[in-house]
Amino acid sequence: MVSYAHSPKGAQTQWELLFDHAKTVAEITAAAAAKFGAADYGAAVGWLHDFGKVDPDFQARLKGSTTSFDHAGPGAAWALKHYGPLGHLIAPVIAGHHTGLMDALVNGAENQDNKALYERLKNLPERLAQQNEAAKQDGLILTTKLAPPTVKSRPSTGDTAKTFTAFSCSFFTRMLFSALVDADFIATETFYGQKDRGFSNVSLADLKRRLDAHLSEKCLIAAQERPGPINQARAKILAASRAKATEPQGIFTMTVPTGGGKTLASLAFALDHAVQHKLDRVIVVIPFTAVVEQTARVFREAFGDMADAVLEHHSAFDASEKWQGGKPHSSFDKLRLSQENWDAPIVVTTAVQFFESLFHHKTSRCRKLHNIVRSVVILDEAQTLPLPVLRPAVLALDELARNYRATLMLTTATQPALLETDDPKTSFQHGLRNTTEIIPDLGKLFQILKRVEIKFAGKLVNEDLAARLAVTPQALVIINTRKHARELFDLIKNEQGARHLSTMMCAAHRAQVLAGIRADLKEGLTVRVVATSLIEAGVDVDFPLVFRAEAGLDQIAQAAGRCNREGRRTVDASQVIVFETDKSSTEMAQRWAATKGVMRAIERGDILGGLLDPPAIEAYFREIYWLKGEEELDKHGILKALRDNAFPLRMPLETISKKFQMIEDYSMPVIISRDSKAERAIQRLRFAEKVGGIARDLQRYIVNIPSADRAALIKRGAAEVIRSNECVSAWNKDPVLGVIGIQTGPL
């Protein structure tokens, strides 16, 4: 009997043969997996992923039967039977290629509602002999020989060795899963006629040449219009970055004070390095959405008519706006498809998107992972990695560099102490090894780029801050909490030039406010801004005076980057005033305590240099990690869960996915009906059968708030519910998140 994989409307002669589909998927998966030395594994899961479709029950479904049938399970059961211990690596890949990766066994009370993999497969071997015979008749290539994967683990012993081995195995399984899922999507899209995808017509070499021309022009203009030590330092930073690009692949650090031009210097290193080593793409990972938008804009400006090569992927990206103005609709389709699998030369994304995908179990989030292989990953502001998941996140970075041909570049003004050294007093246990700093003579560079004076004002209440702002024509105040920022803004909102910035504003609103702030600063007009910390991570504004609420030293350094950014004022005329409040969280109080500890060490002469110099920053991060302790850097027990299931290998893949959360506060989306474009999209959303395209149009109008707050908005009539769960999945890829609301009143 001939078996089929897909049955589009029409005559049976137009149906897709199972052999043809399996062969295509096997070839695509093998090619992707070959990049990390696993071509045989890719071919095996490709041939096996739809093995169950040979069963008469599935073929009957193609002809209209409503009998349920698990077509993914039989292939997983076959793998467990024929591949021995290696079957535990690939069975989850095959079984979950539609539904997602599962735990091997039920792990604890929190997973009792989930069907574990081996429970799902336990009755399937009864029909394997019959299915195996049918597969042979269809010509499916099922080999029983696989060699252990060529995964290099870190040298270690005891429980640490178990942890590293289990981590490497789970990482390998997830990468193989990504390759299979993407291949299956591509093969199916191609069969159904959706062939226009990707950015293959633009090479990294082309982008490098375009960036070279842009940088040459930019440096010439700077030398003519703004000569001086700051632009000379920026030129040296760029030259040092490009000089290091010829070195072998590995892990690099780029420690550059804010305003040193690291955005384009890091891109220049990445493109030079990628072309030198024949890598596939550059992925830039940024902590905050607002900075993703800004960085992507800088890159597109640099690439000119090759701007389409930049893929911007985050929840607030308005793709339809990018492609308006005469761009063909197929370009938007290309962008939408590539957002799923990052098949673009330049990807700019958020840390949440990047790291949560590395630990995820869902097909939609994992599909892109294999395209991180053989790439340059720029991790911007590495110090912002959340402490509760720091250890697994660092191991993931190490795994990418060790086994997946990724070059890592950690760029920041405040390089965190994530390096494992021979000195136990300064070493981050199980941290990054053999790293290379790109910038020579850091101490001298930081002195050249010193642009501000930091002062400490003791405790200041809102009334004190409001009084100071009233007599200051241009000033920025950065507050730790949204509530505190709103309270202060309420006191000054009637002052000339008063503005407020918060993550409670949607992306479209923030962009509008920032444009106004920049324009007024440029014209020398009065600007008094109260903002949360969102403004610190690379937002390009330049104030003569910045007030910063008590914070970690890394955040104070970022705040300083918003003061005298271009070095047009003298240091003594550019002040960052740090003050204490009575509104700090426990987390912030710990960071502030570590900052004060570093200040005292500098006063004693134990640390050389100033508060924002590299020795002080390194001491600060060591103090933070010591205060937290090892367990707090893996707060959810991700590494323990892997170690406890290492021998025999029983990977808790879904449990790990749910434990790894970059942002711990559970939040829900609210659409802000801010302008006519949003209102039109909302009206379409009310009645549309499919909401995916509308959801993308509304991304720049979304604010995520705690679920309790959203419920309160709905209760008092400030928001209304217009669609239920199926709409939420357009943003979150999760069918059980609740409802969508539209804000019609103030938050």
Side-chain angles (χ1 to χ4, degrees):
M1 182 183 76
V2 176
S3 300
Y4 296 94
H6 298 108
S7 55
K9 293 180 180 179
Q12 188 165 318
T13 54
Q14 298 173 351
W15 290 10
E16 184 179 28
L17 292 173
L18 177 57
F19 173 85
D20 292 342
H21 176 70
K23 180 175 183 291
T24 300
V25 173
E27 290 172 349
I28 298 173
T29 309
K35 295 180 181 181
F36 52 95
D40 289 347
Y41 282 79
V45 297
W47 283 108
L48 277 171
H49 81 290
D50 278 354
F51 170 86
K53 288 186 176 181
V54 301
D55 197 280
D57 283 355
F58 180 84
Q59 293 300 308
R61 283 184 60 81
L62 293 180
K63 298 173 182 177
S65 170
T66 58
T67 302
S68 62
F69 184 79
D70 174 11
H71 78 268
W78 195 97
L80 285 175
K81 179 178 180 180
H82 292 280
Y83 292 134
L86 298 179
H88 297 285
L89 290 174
I90 64 176
V93 173
I94 299 166
H97 75 274
H98 286 305
T99 57
L101 295 167
M102 294 175 284
D103 289 350
L105 303 168
V106 173
N107 284 277
E110 78 251 37
N111 264 40
Q112 290 297 328
D113 293 335
N114 296 336
K115 188 91 168 185
L117 175 63
Y118 298 135
E119 176 69 19
R120 173 182 167 183
L121 301 182
K122 69 179 182 180
N123 294 322
L124 294 181
E126 297 174 3
R127 301 174 71 167
L128 274 184
Q130 175 188 354
Q131 292 164 345
N132 194 56
E133 186 60 34
K136 288 180 180 178
Q137 292 179 14
D138 279 307
L140 300 190
I141 300 174
L142 306 177
T143 176
T144 58
K145 295 181 180 180
L146 280 179
T150 54
V151 173
K152 296 177 289 185
S153 191
R154 295 168 62 113
S156 53
T157 58
D159 281 349
T160 301
K162 287 184 180 180
T163 301
F164 289 160
T165 299
F167 191 92
S168 293
C169 287
S170 67
F171 210 91
F172 177 83
T173 292
R174 203 172 276 106
M175 279 293 186
L176 189 62
F177 178 67
S178 168
L180 174 63
V181 167
D182 195 34
D184 195 24
F185 269 110
I186 291 171
T188 304
E189 288 165 355
T190 302
F191 175 71
Y192 282 100
Q194 300 174 10
K195 298 180 181 180
D196 185 19
R197 61 178 302 114
F199 294 80
S200 58
N201 58 323
V202 179
S203 71
L204 292 180
D206 292 335
L207 294 173
K208 177 186 179 308
R209 286 189 288 271
R210 186 57 54 87
L211 179 64
D212 290 347
H214 176 77
L215 288 173
S216 296
E217 181 181 359
K218 195 175 179 70
C219 290
L220 181 62
I221 293 172
Q224 293 174 346
E225 297 182 358
R226 298 188 300 277
I230 287 182
N231 272 312
Q232 290 173 9
R234 288 172 176 168
K236 290 180 180 178
I237 290 167
L238 177 61
S241 301
R242 307 202 85 158
K244 288 288 186 181
T246 59
E247 295 202 3
Q249 284 192 261
I251 303 175
F252 295 81
T253 58
M254 182 180 184
T255 311
V256 174
T258 303
K262 66 181 172 65
T263 299
L264 287 176
S266 61
L267 179 63
F269 166 88
L271 283 175
D272 289 357
H273 188 78
V275 171
Q276 171 82 19
H277 295 286
K278 296 180 172 58
L279 306 181
D280 295 338
R281 61 186 45 80
V282 174
I283 301 171
V284 185
V285 183
I286 294 175
F288 302 110
T289 297
V291 190
V292 171
E293 296 165 347
Q294 177 176 293
T295 302
R297 186 166 59 247
V298 170
F299 288 177
R300 292 190 185 107
E301 178 185 341
F303 293 139
D305 60 5
M306 294 183 183
D308 291 2
V310 179
L311 169 64
E312 184 180 344
H313 190 194
H314 58 85
S315 62
F317 179 49
D318 183 356
S320 61
E321 181 177 316
K322 177 186 182 305
W323 295 113
Q324 69 183 9
K327 289 286 184 181
H329 187 70
S330 62
S331 295
F332 172 75
D333 292 336
K334 246 196 270 190
L335 176 74
R336 177 181 59 80
L337 290 166
S338 292
Q339 280 182 331
E340 296 289 338
N341 76 346
W342 286 3
D343 184 19
I346 309 290
V347 178
V348 187
T349 190
T350 62
V352 171
Q353 181 70 241
F354 182 82
F355 282 100
E356 288 192 358
S357 295
L358 284 173
F359 289 87
H360 223 279
H361 69 289
K362 290 287 190 180
T363 56
S364 57
R365 292 294 292 272
C366 291
R367 181 180 177 184
K368 57 183 164 290
L369 295 184
H370 72 93
N371 278 327
I372 302 175
V373 177
R374 217 164 64 181
S375 66
V376 180
V377 178
I378 301 173
L379 184 61
D380 192 42
E381 306 301 350
Q383 80 283 352
T384 61
L385 287 173
L387 295 181
V389 294
L390 185 63
R391 282 172 53 75
V394 169
L395 278 183
L397 293 174
D398 181 75
E399 194 72 25
L400 286 171
R402 183 181 299 276
N403 289 308
Y404 297 92
R405 282 202 63 192
T407 288
L408 305 181
M409 185 185 196
L410 280 63
T411 69
T412 179
T414 55
Q415 201 66 247
L418 297 177
L419 310 186
E420 184 174 298
T421 67
D422 294 332
D423 184 353
K425 294 181 180 179
T426 62
S427 180
F428 181 82
Q429 187 178 6
H430 309 150
L432 302 174
R433 297 177 176 178
N434 303 320
T435 61
T436 301
E437 172 58 51
I438 287 176
I439 307 301
D441 199 358
L442 287 177
K444 184 178 179 180
L445 175 65
F446 272 70
Q447 287 303 311
I448 292 172
L449 290 177
K450 182 178 179 180
R451 301 185 302 275
V452 304
E453 183 179 0
I454 296 179
K455 293 188 174 182
F456 299 92
K459 186 174 181 179
L460 295 179
V461 298
N462 285 346
E463 288 74 16
D464 298 329
L465 290 166
R468 293 198 181 203
L469 288 173
V471 296
T472 307
Q474 290 188 342
L476 166 66
V477 183
I478 304 174
I479 303 295
N480 290 323
T481 68
R482 293 190 297 256
K483 181 181 178 183
H484 188 186
R486 186 74 196 188
E487 290 171 352
L488 176 58
F489 180 72
D490 284 342
L491 290 179
I492 72 157
K493 62 185 178 183
N494 294 323
E495 297 282 350
Q496 183 180 359
R499 288 191 176 88
H500 178 225
L501 276 171
S502 167
T503 52
M504 296 302 280
M505 297 174 174
C506 65
H509 190 183
R510 289 198 306 268
Q512 182 183 33
V513 173
L514 277 168
I517 290 170
R518 292 187 182 107
D520 287 353
L521 287 171
K522 186 176 181 180
E523 295 296 323
L525 302 177
T526 298
V527 187
R528 299 175 173 117
V529 178
V530 177
T532 56
S533 60
L534 72 89
I535 201 169
E536 289 176 338
V539 177
D540 189 6
V541 291
D542 187 353
F543 284 86
L545 178 63
V546 173
F547 293 90
R548 184 47 168 107
E550 57 199 359
L553 187 51
D554 55 328
Q555 291 171 291
I556 293 171
Q558 291 299 322
R562 308 319 118 200
C563 182
N564 196 21
R565 188 173 180 85
E566 294 299 325
R568 295 189 176 98
R569 292 177 286 271
T570 61
V571 171
D572 56 1
S574 309
Q575 294 187 355
V576 176
I577 299 176
V578 181
F579 62 95
E580 295 183 321
T581 75
D582 56 2
K583 301 177 183 292
S584 284
S585 64
T586 302
E587 171 76 21
M588 192 58 71
Q590 286 184 333
R591 290 178 176 273
W592 177 234
T595 300
K596 291 193 289 187
V598 172
M599 291 164 52
R600 289 190 291 270
I602 291 174
E603 291 171 357
R604 293 192 304 268
D606 296 339
I607 298 175
L608 300 179
L611 190 61
L612 301 185
D613 288 340
I617 297 295
E618 185 177 355
Y620 163 78
F621 278 109
R622 285 202 305 271
E623 180 76 4
I624 283 292
Y625 300 153
W626 181 84
L627 281 172
K628 284 292 181 183
E630 290 297 319
E631 288 187 1
E632 285 297 304
L633 302 182
D634 181 21
K635 184 177 179 180
H636 308 297
I638 292 168
L639 300 184
K640 182 180 185 301
L642 282 167
R643 181 178 66 249
D644 291 349
N645 291 277
F647 299 106
L649 187 62
R650 300 287 189 268
M651 292 180 288
L653 297 168
E654 185 173 357
T655 292
I656 290 170
S657 172
K658 292 177 178 179
K659 285 178 179 290
F660 191 94
Q661 300 292 325
M662 292 282 285
I663 301 173
E664 292 190 314
D665 293 336
Y666 185 66
S667 60
M668 303 285 282
V670 175
I671 304 166
I672 310 298
S673 52
R674 176 163 181 79
D675 54 31
S676 58
K677 180 180 178 181
E679 290 171 356
R680 288 194 299 271
I682 289 165
Q683 288 304 313
R684 286 159 45 216
L685 187 62
R686 293 180 187 276
F687 307 106
E689 291 184 10
K690 297 182 179 180
V691 301
I694 303 170
R696 286 185 290 274
D697 287 344
L698 285 169
Q699 284 175 344
R700 285 178 59 82
Y701 299 93
I702 290 173
V703 172
N704 288 300
I705 64 175
S707 55
D709 291 350
R710 194 177 73 162
L713 285 174
I714 295 169
K715 185 175 181 179
R716 75 169 189 251
E720 65 168 312
V721 178
I722 58 170
R723 293 295 286 259
S724 57
N725 292 349
E726 79 278 5
C727 185
V728 178
S729 65
W731 284 279
N732 303 90
K733 306 294 185 185
D734 190 327
V736 288
L737 284 180
V739 294
I740 288 288
I742 301 176
Q743 182 202 353
T744 57
L747 291 173

